[in-house]
Amino acid sequence: MKLVLAPMEGVVDFKMRQLLTDIGGFDLCVTEFIRVVDLTFPRRVFTRYCPELLNEGKTRAGTPVRIQLLGQVPHALASNARKAIMLGSHGIDLNFGCPAKTVNKSKGGAVLLKEPELMYQIIKAVREAVPSEHQVSAKIRLGFDDDSNSTEIIDAVQSAGASSLAIHARTKRDGYKPPAYWEKIPPLLKRLSIPVVANGEIWQVEDALLCQQRSGCEDLMLGRGALATPDLAAKIKAKVNNEYYEPLQWEHIIYHIIHSSMHQDPTASEKYFSSRTKQWLGYLKHQYPQAHHLFDEIKTFKAKQDVVNVLEKYAKQPSLDSNHTVIA
């Protein structure tokens, strides 16, 4: 079983990938998308989105990171894919699932699900540009307004030469509203010979097991659920492998926020850390009642040190190995 950390624009950046993979359980991370129009970006753009390129393309804990590209021009995406691989990305992921209106208006993300032929051209161009030993994956939804052309979509992905496919089991119109329609994946699997990763509405260990059962997919992608329960991947792996696991306590979560060094980013504004912490508490509230109290305590703070001072009152270091992975 492989667990992939989903790309979440504006949320799962370098620091968050570092934090969540420090805790453990993930086998691969995918970056926020790099929007490609017609230029091949310089090295600094790739390293800004994926600082892990400076560490052999891996997080501090050693988890491989794959750069995600978004766009509509096959040759431009191919050129940038080639550059990303040259810089050390562990494969290339292509975004055909982003539902954001601003992205779709510029003919990127989920709107391309309306044009399987263009998807085919994009994937084929990238596959031909990237050496065969490197993965080219695609992330899709079941469709745009509905799932009536889902088979045409997956046929385009596979015939273009994609190495694997992640399916967010909702349409663009569904957005992020529950439920995720995992049961719609098995008919698609019958047409596919490439590995498939199921994604959508996995908030608990029980959700992961049910998703596996209903989707027919062994491998899963975790997004918002991993933000709400930062050790969700570790819990899932322990359950599947029948291993003992001691869940992280609230004070351990706070420790990891500090240990992630989000507050030590010299390129970020003074408000960055307080804003990120408040944003994340919005997810943590789903699982930790203490998050409500902490949010109230820091909601008027803007200076990062003021927020750090509050966090340090509650933080407690869990038992970690040399890679900062939780061991107890």
Side-chain angles (χ1 to χ4, degrees), residues 20 30 80 110 120 132 141 160 208 221 243 248 262-263 273 291 318:
L20 292 174
V30 181
N80 281 280
Y120 170 85
S132 59
R141 287 174 173 255
M221 178 176 279
E243 297 171 347
L248 288 180
M262 288 182 183
H263 58 295
F273 181 64

Side-chain angles (χ1 to χ4, degrees), residues 91-144:
I92 296 295
D93 189 67
L94 295 169
N95 183 318
F96 301 109
C98 180
K101 289 182 179 180
T102 53
V103 172
N104 290 176
K105 283 181 179 178
S106 61
K107 207 172 181 181
V111 73
L112 291 171
L113 297 171
K114 294 180 176 182
E115 301 185 52
E117 175 58 30
L118 180 53
M119 290 178 60
Y120 170 85
Q121 293 173 13
I122 289 170
I123 297 168
K124 185 172 185 292
V126 171
R127 178 67 278 175
E128 291 176 350
V130 170
S132 59
E133 64 269 23
H134 295 282
Q135 295 263 315
V136 173
S137 55
K139 186 171 188 292
I140 67 168
R141 287 174 173 255
L142 293 171
F144 193 80

Side-chain angles (χ1 to χ4, degrees), residues 13 19 43 47 49 102 110 149 153 169 217 255 301 303 305 318:
D13 59 5
L19 186 156
R43 180 176 184 270
T47 55
Y49 280 88
T102 53
N149 71 332
I153 291 168
C217 298
Y255 166 81
F301 295 166
Q305 193 56 50

Side-chain angles (χ1 to χ4, degrees), residues 33-317:
F33 64 75
I34 300 176
R35 190 194 299 251
V36 175
V37 181
D38 55 4
L39 298 176
T40 302
F41 292 115
R43 180 176 184 270
R44 66 177 181 275
V45 172
F46 292 99
T47 55
R48 183 172 75 242
Y49 280 88
C50 186
E52 294 95 340
L53 293 174
L54 304 176
N55 185 43
E56 299 181 341
K58 298 178 180 179
T59 67
R60 177 167 62 189
T63 306
V65 181
R66 182 172 297 169
I67 285 177
Q68 184 181 79
L69 303 178
L70 177 149
Q72 60 167 308
V73 182
H75 72 84
L77 287 160
S79 177
N80 281 280
R82 189 183 301 111
K83 183 75 169 283
I85 292 296
M86 181 185 72
L87 292 172
S89 176
H90 289 264
I92 296 295
D93 189 67
L94 295 169
N95 183 318
F96 301 109
C98 180
K101 289 182 179 180
T102 53
V103 172
N104 290 176
K105 283 181 179 178
S106 61
K107 207 172 181 181
V111 73
L112 291 171
L113 297 171
K114 294 180 176 182
E115 301 185 52
E117 175 58 30
L118 180 53
M119 290 178 60
Y120 170 85
Q121 293 173 13
I122 289 170
I123 297 168
K124 185 172 185 292
V126 171
R127 178 67 278 175
E128 291 176 350
V130 170
S132 59
E133 64 269 23
H134 295 282
Q135 295 263 315
V136 173
S137 55
K139 186 171 188 292
I140 67 168
R141 287 174 173 255
L142 293 171
F144 193 80
D145 291 320
D146 55 44
D147 62 357
S148 59
N149 71 332
S150 59
T151 56
E152 190 179 354
I153 291 168
I154 64 163
D155 286 349
V157 171
Q158 178 161 270
S159 60
S163 310
S164 63
L165 174 64
I167 302 178
H168 184 147
R170 284 183 277 229
T171 65
K172 185 273 180 188
R173 175 173 284 183
D174 294 329
Y176 295 99
K177 294 181 296 184
Y181 301 98
W182 303 322
E183 66 278 3
K184 293 190 176 185
I185 295 179
L188 304 179
L189 293 181
K190 295 177 182 179
R191 303 177 67 90
L192 293 166
S193 58
I194 58 176
V196 177
V197 181
N199 175 228
E201 290 301 303
I202 301 173
W203 295 89
Q204 307 280 357
V205 173
E206 294 74 19
D207 297 331
L209 300 179
L210 191 58
C211 179
Q212 284 186 312
Q213 177 186 334
R214 290 185 179 175
S215 70
C217 298
E218 182 179 12
D219 301 336
L220 306 175
M221 178 176 279
L222 309 180
R224 293 174 298 160
L227 297 175
T229 306
D231 61 342
L232 179 58
K235 287 181 177 181
I236 293 170
K237 280 288 183 68
K239 179 67 174 179
V240 169
N241 295 326
N242 198 28
E243 297 171 347
Y244 173 77
Y245 177 74
E246 183 68 33
L248 288 180
Q249 302 302 308
W250 173 247
E251 57 269 23
H252 299 152
I253 302 297
I254 302 304
Y255 166 81
H256 276 289
I257 294 177
I258 297 173
H259 184 67
S260 71
S261 303
M262 288 182 183
H263 58 295
Q264 295 176 352
D265 187 345
T267 66
S269 69
E270 177 64 20
K271 298 179 182 179
Y272 171 80
F273 181 64
S274 63
S275 297
R276 283 301 304 275
T277 303
K278 293 170 191 174
Q279 177 193 47
W280 197 20
L281 287 172
Y283 289 98
L284 291 170
K285 288 176 182 178
H286 288 277
Q287 300 296 333
Y288 298 92
Q290 302 95 322
H292 293 272
H293 172 74
L294 181 55
F295 181 85
D296 289 340
E297 195 167 349
I298 69 170
K299 65 182 178 182
T300 61
F301 295 166
K302 296 181 180 179
K304 60 184 177 183
Q305 193 56 50
D306 290 340
V307 177
V308 171
N309 291 340
V310 174
L311 296 180
E312 288 179 339
K313 292 193 306 181
Y314 300 108
K316 179 181 178 182
Q317 180 175 353

